[in-house]
PDB file of all heavy atoms in Angstrom:
ATOM      1  N   ARG A  30       4.601   7.270 -29.278  1.00 95.00           N
ATOM      2  CA  ARG A  30       3.325   6.693 -28.875  1.00 95.00           C
ATOM      3  C   ARG A  30       2.634   5.925 -30.040  1.00 95.00           C
ATOM      4  O   ARG A  30       1.620   5.255 -29.787  1.00 95.00           O
ATOM      5  CB  ARG A  30       2.385   7.771 -28.366  1.00 95.00           C
ATOM      6  CG  ARG A  30       2.667   8.216 -26.944  1.00 95.00           C
ATOM      7  CD  ARG A  30       1.559   9.040 -26.347  1.00 95.00           C
ATOM      8  NE  ARG A  30       0.334   8.268 -26.231  1.00 95.00           N
ATOM      9  CZ  ARG A  30      -0.803   8.539 -26.820  1.00 95.00           C
ATOM     10  NH1 ARG A  30      -0.907   9.559 -27.640  1.00 95.00           N
ATOM     11  NH2 ARG A  30      -1.882   7.776 -26.640  1.00 95.00           N
ATOM     12  N   ASP A  33       3.869   4.370 -36.349  1.00 96.00           N
ATOM     13  CA  ASP A  33       4.334   5.038 -37.557  1.00 96.00           C
ATOM     14  C   ASP A  33       5.455   6.018 -37.206  1.00 96.00           C
ATOM     15  O   ASP A  33       6.153   6.516 -38.105  1.00 96.00           O
ATOM     16  CB  ASP A  33       3.194   5.737 -38.258  1.00 96.00           C
ATOM     17  CG  ASP A  33       2.468   6.724 -37.400  1.00 96.00           C
ATOM     18  OD1 ASP A  33       1.614   6.308 -36.540  1.00 96.00           O
ATOM     19  OD2 ASP A  33       2.742   7.909 -37.502  1.00 96.00           O
ATOM     20  N   ARG A  78      -0.585  -0.981 -27.186  1.00 98.00           N
ATOM     21  CA  ARG A  78      -1.921  -1.307 -27.686  1.00 98.00           C
ATOM     22  C   ARG A  78      -2.002  -2.794 -28.087  1.00 98.00           C
ATOM     23  O   ARG A  78      -1.086  -3.381 -28.641  1.00 98.00           O
ATOM     24  CB  ARG A  78      -2.268  -0.445 -28.904  1.00 98.00           C
ATOM     25  CG  ARG A  78      -2.439   0.967 -28.484  1.00 98.00           C
ATOM     26  CD  ARG A  78      -2.778   1.911 -29.611  1.00 98.00           C
ATOM     27  NE  ARG A  78      -2.481   3.262 -29.129  1.00 98.00           N
ATOM     28  CZ  ARG A  78      -1.301   3.845 -29.267  1.00 98.00           C
ATOM     29  NH1 ARG A  78      -0.354   3.288 -29.918  1.00 98.00           N
ATOM     30  NH2 ARG A  78      -1.093   5.025 -28.737  1.00 98.00           N
ATOM     31  N   VAL A  79      -3.153  -3.351 -27.857  1.00 98.00           N
ATOM     32  CA  VAL A  79      -3.467  -4.622 -28.381  1.00 98.00           C
ATOM     33  C   VAL A  79      -3.885  -4.440 -29.841  1.00 98.00           C
ATOM     34  O   VAL A  79      -4.619  -3.497 -30.153  1.00 98.00           O
ATOM     35  CB  VAL A  79      -4.590  -5.293 -27.593  1.00 98.00           C
ATOM     36  CG1 VAL A  79      -4.993  -6.617 -28.167  1.00 98.00           C
ATOM     37  CG2 VAL A  79      -4.159  -5.450 -26.113  1.00 98.00           C
ATOM     38  N   ARG A 107     -11.075 -13.523 -19.531  1.00 94.00           N
ATOM     39  CA  ARG A 107     -11.548 -14.280 -20.658  1.00 94.00           C
ATOM     40  C   ARG A 107     -10.962 -15.670 -20.720  1.00 94.00           C
ATOM     41  O   ARG A 107     -11.022 -16.349 -21.720  1.00 94.00           O
ATOM     42  CB  ARG A 107     -11.242 -13.551 -21.924  1.00 94.00           C
ATOM     43  CG  ARG A 107     -12.044 -12.253 -22.000  1.00 94.00           C
ATOM     44  CD  ARG A 107     -11.773 -11.483 -23.202  1.00 94.00           C
ATOM     45  NE  ARG A 107     -11.706 -10.064 -22.857  1.00 94.00           N
ATOM     46  CZ  ARG A 107     -11.594  -9.094 -23.803  1.00 94.00           C
ATOM     47  NH1 ARG A 107     -11.461  -9.377 -25.035  1.00 94.00           N
ATOM     48  NH2 ARG A 107     -11.524  -7.830 -23.383  1.00 94.00           N
TER      49      ARG A 107
ATOM     50  N   LEU B  34      -6.664  10.849 -30.002  1.00 97.00           N
ATOM     51  CA  LEU B  34      -5.290  10.363 -30.104  1.00 97.00           C
ATOM     52  C   LEU B  34      -4.412  10.983 -28.965  1.00 97.00           C
ATOM     53  O   LEU B  34      -3.240  10.649 -28.828  1.00 97.00           O
ATOM     54  CB  LEU B  34      -4.662  10.719 -31.427  1.00 97.00           C
ATOM     55  CG  LEU B  34      -5.430  10.043 -32.600  1.00 97.00           C
ATOM     56  CD1 LEU B  34      -4.826  10.436 -33.933  1.00 97.00           C
ATOM     57  CD2 LEU B  34      -5.312   8.483 -32.451  1.00 97.00           C
ATOM     58  N   GLU B  39      -6.714   8.604 -24.553  1.00 97.00           N
ATOM     59  CA  GLU B  39      -6.658   7.189 -24.713  1.00 97.00           C
ATOM     60  C   GLU B  39      -6.765   6.455 -23.404  1.00 97.00           C
ATOM     61  O   GLU B  39      -7.459   5.458 -23.244  1.00 97.00           O
ATOM     62  CB  GLU B  39      -5.380   6.771 -25.454  1.00 97.00           C
ATOM     63  CG  GLU B  39      -5.444   5.369 -25.969  1.00 97.00           C
ATOM     64  CD  GLU B  39      -4.231   4.990 -26.851  1.00 97.00           C
ATOM     65  OE1 GLU B  39      -3.399   5.855 -27.078  1.00 97.00           O
ATOM     66  OE2 GLU B  39      -4.202   3.846 -27.301  1.00 97.00           O
ATOM     67  N   ARG B  61      -3.773   5.998 -37.029  1.00 98.00           N
ATOM     68  CA  ARG B  61      -3.639   5.919 -35.575  1.00 98.00           C
ATOM     69  C   ARG B  61      -4.967   5.693 -34.906  1.00 98.00           C
ATOM     70  O   ARG B  61      -5.069   4.958 -33.923  1.00 98.00           O
ATOM     71  CB  ARG B  61      -2.969   7.229 -35.099  1.00 98.00           C
ATOM     72  CG  ARG B  61      -1.562   7.353 -35.556  1.00 98.00           C
ATOM     73  CD  ARG B  61      -0.977   8.635 -35.024  1.00 98.00           C
ATOM     74  NE  ARG B  61       0.352   8.812 -35.571  1.00 98.00           N
ATOM     75  CZ  ARG B  61       1.159   9.871 -35.316  1.00 98.00           C
ATOM     76  NH1 ARG B  61       0.707  10.793 -34.456  1.00 98.00           N
ATOM     77  NH2 ARG B  61       2.337   9.972 -35.842  1.00 98.00           N
ATOM     78  N   ASP B  68      -7.421  -1.484 -30.230  1.00 98.00           N
ATOM     79  CA  ASP B  68      -6.999  -1.721 -28.818  1.00 98.00           C
ATOM     80  C   ASP B  68      -8.183  -1.586 -27.900  1.00 98.00           C
ATOM     81  O   ASP B  68      -8.407  -2.426 -27.014  1.00 98.00           O
ATOM     82  CB  ASP B  68      -5.927  -0.714 -28.441  1.00 98.00           C
ATOM     83  CG  ASP B  68      -5.544  -0.833 -26.958  1.00 98.00           C
ATOM     84  OD1 ASP B  68      -4.909  -1.827 -26.597  1.00 98.00           O
ATOM     85  OD2 ASP B  68      -5.876   0.062 -26.216  1.00 98.00           O
ATOM     86  N   ALA B  71     -10.334  -4.594 -28.170  1.00 95.00           N
ATOM     87  CA  ALA B  71      -9.749  -5.757 -27.437  1.00 95.00           C
ATOM     88  C   ALA B  71      -9.893  -5.571 -25.936  1.00 95.00           C
ATOM     89  O   ALA B  71      -9.953  -6.589 -25.188  1.00 95.00           O
ATOM     90  CB  ALA B  71      -8.239  -5.890 -27.801  1.00 95.00           C
TER      91      ALA B  71
END
Side-chain angles (χ1 to χ4, degrees):
Chain A
R30 282 193 66 241
D33 58 280
R78 293 178 197 91
V79 176
R107 294 180 219 184
Chain B
L34 298 177
E39 193 172 1
R61 294 180 185 180
D68 175 71

